[in-house]
Amino acid sequence: MSISTQLHSVRHAIAESCHAAGRDPASVVLLAVSKTFGADAVIEAADAGQVAFGENYLQEAVNKLAEVHKLRPDLSLEWHFIGPIQSNKTRPIAENFSWVHAVDREKIAQRLSEQRPEHLPPLNICLQVNVSGEDSKSGVSPEELPALAQAVARLPNIHLRGLMAIPEPETDPARQRAPFALLRELQKNLAEMGIPTDTLSMGMSGDMPAAIAEGATMVRIGTAVFGKRDYAN
Ligand SMILES: *Cc1c(COP(=O)(O)O)cnc(C)c1O
């Protein structure tokens, strides 16, 4: 199937999940996760109306952005960095992206703020929360989230937009909802502390309906849009 056809069916699935949850389909942004796919795939999706793209690997992303821009300077796309962040590699992220989804340390946010070029609007940030309780996983713990959010909200060149989570894989749709519900609760708690945010970045190809049922405002979809990834390249 073509990328355009797959995009249409993902948009349709998002709308259906919204209707089932009594939500407006316009309240959910589709982030097309293009990691491992080339500039040609991004351009094909963009020509089918897709605007927001997510990337995980910094060097791959920076090369791809440049290539897309060279091939199609007419396209105005919104790039989101959704991968893990190394503290010595924040500058290219601050310079090339509109959003960063996986911030889980104050030091990273500070560097992104310092390195954000002055001619660009503030960098939109989501704090990644560890909602599955595994020690090995990245993300700030729910207990440490309020202090981190308070610190990040004060940074000058950062706009704290909300929370992001990657729960442990779970195939049972009924059980997929609990970690998403927790993220929604945590966002509500922050708002009550005086830190209002508008974004819940949660839901991927395998758990999108559950995430939308629990209030996702941005779903990060790779496989269902571009097909299966081949990490050999
Ligand atoms: C790869 C990735 C996705 C997309 O996953 P799919 O299952 O292919 O939809 C979403 N979010 C993050 C953080 C990812 O790394």
Side-chain angles (χ1 to χ4, degrees):
M1 261 198 292
S2 72
I3 289 172
S4 149
T5 307
Q6 299 196 130
L7 257 179
H8 278 107
S9 65
V10 168
R11 288 191 194 121
H12 184 72
I14 290 173
E16 294 222 300
S17 296
C18 284
H19 288 311
R23 298 184 54 196
D24 177 358
S27 66
V28 178
V29 171
L30 169 60
L31 183 61
V33 178
S34 45
K35 65 184 179 210
T36 78
F37 292 91
D40 51 340
V42 169
I43 289 169
E44 200 177 326
D47 283 335
Q50 182 63 27
V51 174
F53 291 86
E55 288 284 337
N56 282 59
Y57 311 108
L58 187 55
Q59 199 51 54
E60 178 199 347
V62 169
N63 293 343
K64 198 180 301 179
L65 263 71
E67 199 183 338
V68 169
H69 184 70
K70 192 169 142 223
L71 292 168
R72 290 289 302 276
D74 60 305
L75 292 175
S76 155
L77 305 179
E78 182 180 278
W79 291 96
H80 296 233
F81 192 76
I82 63 172
I85 306 157
Q86 288 173 258
S87 60
N88 61 341
K89 300 221 173 111
T90 46
R91 188 177 295 280
I93 298 177
E95 290 175 350
N96 287 286
F97 290 84
S98 300
W99 285 70
V100 183
H101 288 236
V103 174
D104 60 2
R105 280 178 290 159
E106 186 181 348
K107 182 178 157 205
I108 299 275
Q110 252 165 7
R111 292 177 67 101
L112 290 169
S113 180
E114 281 161 17
Q115 294 167 345
R116 182 68 170 168
E118 286 199 0
H119 68 278
L120 294 177
L123 188 58
N124 297 296
I125 281 197
C126 291
L127 300 176
Q128 183 181 356
V129 184
N130 179 351
V131 288
S132 300
E134 300 249 322
D135 299 323
S136 59
K137 278 274 169 164
S138 49
V140 65
S141 69
E143 295 72 29
E144 289 166 314
L145 173 65
L148 177 63
Q150 237 154 9
V152 172
R154 280 197 292 262
L155 294 170
N157 302 320
I158 296 290
H159 184 180
L160 179 60
R161 297 296 298 267
L163 305 179
M164 177 268 209
I166 312 173
E168 287 290 287
E170 167 63 62
T171 48
D172 176 359
R175 298 175 67 166
Q176 286 174 345
R177 288 180 61 159
F180 297 138
L182 172 58
L183 202 69
R184 173 168 47 75
E185 239 356 83
L186 293 169
Q187 185 192 41
K188 190 166 146 247
N189 295 346
L190 288 185
E192 284 164 1
M193 285 174 50
I195 309 175
T197 57
D198 61 11
T199 301
L200 283 176
S201 166
M202 57 190 198
M204 320 204 311
S205 297
D207 56 15
M208 184 269 285
I212 288 181
E214 294 296 347
T217 65
M218 202 177 279
V219 291
R220 308 178 310 267
I221 310 288
T223 311
V225 171
F226 294 105
K228 209 167 163 321
R229 286 182 290 275
D230 181 359
Y231 284 101
N233 310 317

